[in-house]
Amino acid sequence: MNSPMKTHDVAALAKGVRDGGRRALARAITLVESGRADHRADALALLDTLGTDRQALRIGLSGTPGVGKSTFIESFGLMLTGMGKRVAVLAVDPSSARSGGSILGDKTRMDHLARDPNAFIRPSPSQTQLGGVARRSREAVALCEAAGFDVVLIETVGVGQSETVVAQMADLFVLLLAPAGGDELQGVKRGIMEMADLILVNKADGDLKSQAMRTCADYAGALRLLRKRPQDPEGFPKAMTVSALETDGITAAWDEMQALISWRRKAGMWDATRAAQARYWFTEEVQQGLLQMLRDDPQTEARMKTAQADVAAGVMSPAAAAAQVLGPLRKGQV
């Protein structure tokens, strides 16, 4: 059944989001995530109506499966709501490459935080989108800001070193790691290490505490080998140990985040970073829009099918077939 969302509902929906209504925010996120053309028009109208006058602290969080992301987010989120802050969690779950389905189990793993009146948790399917985030995560973040949340946590899929797109929509990028030996350090590649503002070695409790301390020291040493970034004060990026289970080190990690953001605001890095991110997403939208236009063009679709058959049969190479399909576009024939 199609969604009952209508164009004339946009103003009322915008008011509901502005007033901090959880149901309105959930409906708004569903709208921006929809792939229907009429819903997309309503989504753009909604985002335009809400504007960008409210800003939250956006924190991207990545880490491999099993590192304790959900436990950390719940402990961290409860600490923030205990301070009187409103916290939104946008958790991206991996989608099946075959069915497109997703478990969307993050809300059940954060049971206490989900019941907190000052928290909002929204799981979304990645829909095979690369980069660890969903296609419309950035717009969902904007909706949470419009709803008056103070902190927005963006939890990525957690599949590896490609998860750097979240850094293009966050003010802080936190990499959560588990205690491990030297081989684990080799597994965290330079790309995601360079993106991280803070590396938190989780599970620093019980029998793993000493190992977590050693792992933290290893990462701290690795960070010192990286070239200093202009958006960082002295001492950043840095590695710390935390125990999400025992809530140890969580407050200290928040203090470090606050110190870094305060420095960036005073240095003008906050506004510069957000402007650069806006340019990035503009380019991304144009590219995605062009791809959709190609998919919607009957002539291009027919050439694609013919070329795909030739490639599958070994008649043409993929590169030559792609050049053949794109040739008329370069000549302005489409």
Side-chain angles (χ1 to χ4, degrees):
M1 182 179 293
N2 291 337
S3 168
M5 191 69 63
K6 303 292 183 183
T7 302
H8 60 263
D9 290 332
V10 169
L13 187 57
K15 184 180 185 305
V17 172
R18 276 283 195 183
D19 291 342
R22 297 161 69 93
R23 182 172 297 181
L25 177 58
R27 291 178 61 215
I29 294 176
T30 298
L31 178 62
V32 300
E33 289 180 343
S34 174
R36 282 178 43 172
D38 57 334
H39 287 183
R40 189 61 195 152
D42 285 351
L44 292 175
L46 174 64
L47 292 165
D48 186 59
T49 301
L50 289 171
T52 58
D53 59 311
R54 293 180 178 178
Q55 288 190 340
L57 173 58
R58 308 171 183 173
I59 302 175
L61 183 72
S62 186
T64 54
V67 75
K69 291 196 300 294
S70 296
T71 306
F72 173 82
I73 289 174
E74 182 162 63
S75 296
F76 187 61
L78 288 172
M79 180 201 70
L80 293 176
T81 58
M83 295 177 177
K85 297 185 181 298
R86 298 184 67 215
V87 179
V89 179
L90 301 177
V92 182
D93 270 14
S95 296
S96 168
R98 294 184 178 181
S99 67
S102 187
I103 297 175
L104 302 180
D106 290 271
K107 203 164 185 176
T108 61
R109 292 195 295 266
M110 306 177 201
D111 184 52
H112 294 292
L113 187 61
R115 295 198 302 266
D116 193 312
N118 286 322
F120 174 83
I121 301 177
R122 172 70 181 217
S124 298
S126 64
Q127 297 177 326
T128 68
Q129 177 79 8
L130 298 178
V133 294
R135 169 86 190 275
R136 299 298 176 189
S137 290
R138 180 189 61 86
E139 293 175 353
V141 170
L143 291 172
C144 291
E145 289 186 316
F149 284 92
D150 302 300
V151 179
V152 180
L153 296 171
I154 310 145
E155 179 195 1
T156 69
V157 170
V159 291
Q161 58 175 315
S162 65
E163 298 195 17
T164 54
V165 175
V166 69
Q168 295 293 345
M169 64 179 75
D171 303 308
L172 285 172
F173 182 32
V174 178
L175 181 60
L176 201 64
L177 298 172
D183 290 341
E184 181 71 10
L185 183 60
Q186 295 299 321
V188 179
K189 302 301 181 182
R190 188 180 180 94
I192 199 166
M193 286 278 286
E194 288 179 330
M195 290 289 184
D197 295 305
L198 203 59
I199 291 178
L200 300 180
V201 181
N202 193 24
K203 304 184 179 182
D205 49 59
D207 294 338
L208 291 175
K209 187 167 185 177
S210 59
Q211 191 175 15
M213 298 293 288
R214 290 194 299 270
T215 301
C216 182
D218 288 341
Y219 283 113
L223 289 173
R224 285 193 291 270
L225 298 177
L226 298 179
R227 181 181 303 175
K228 189 178 184 302
R229 305 176 303 187
Q231 70 267 33
D232 293 332
E234 196 63 38
F236 283 92
K238 65 173 55 179
M240 303 175 62
T241 58
V242 296
S243 169
L245 190 62
E246 297 182 354
T247 67
D248 186 42
I250 303 291
T251 301
W254 172 244
D255 290 341
E256 294 293 349
M257 295 179 200
Q258 291 287 92
L260 179 56
I261 286 299
S262 177
W263 185 89
R264 286 180 177 173
R265 284 185 182 276
K266 291 177 182 177
M269 294 296 179
W270 173 285
D271 293 332
T273 298
R274 288 220 168 181
Q277 290 174 347
R279 288 193 296 270
Y280 172 90
W281 289 108
F282 162 73
T283 302
E284 184 70 14
E285 283 295 323
V286 170
Q287 291 173 345
Q288 293 294 331
L290 288 172
L291 287 174
Q292 191 59 51
M293 288 172 64
L294 292 179
R295 296 187 189 102
D296 294 341
D297 179 68
Q299 295 181 2
T300 304
E301 183 181 14
R303 287 200 302 273
M304 283 280 290
K305 288 182 178 179
T306 301
Q308 285 173 344
D310 289 342
V311 170
V315 177
M316 297 183 70
S317 70
Q324 187 179 79
V325 171
L326 295 174
L329 300 178
R330 294 192 178 98
K331 297 175 183 177
Q333 296 176 5
V334 176

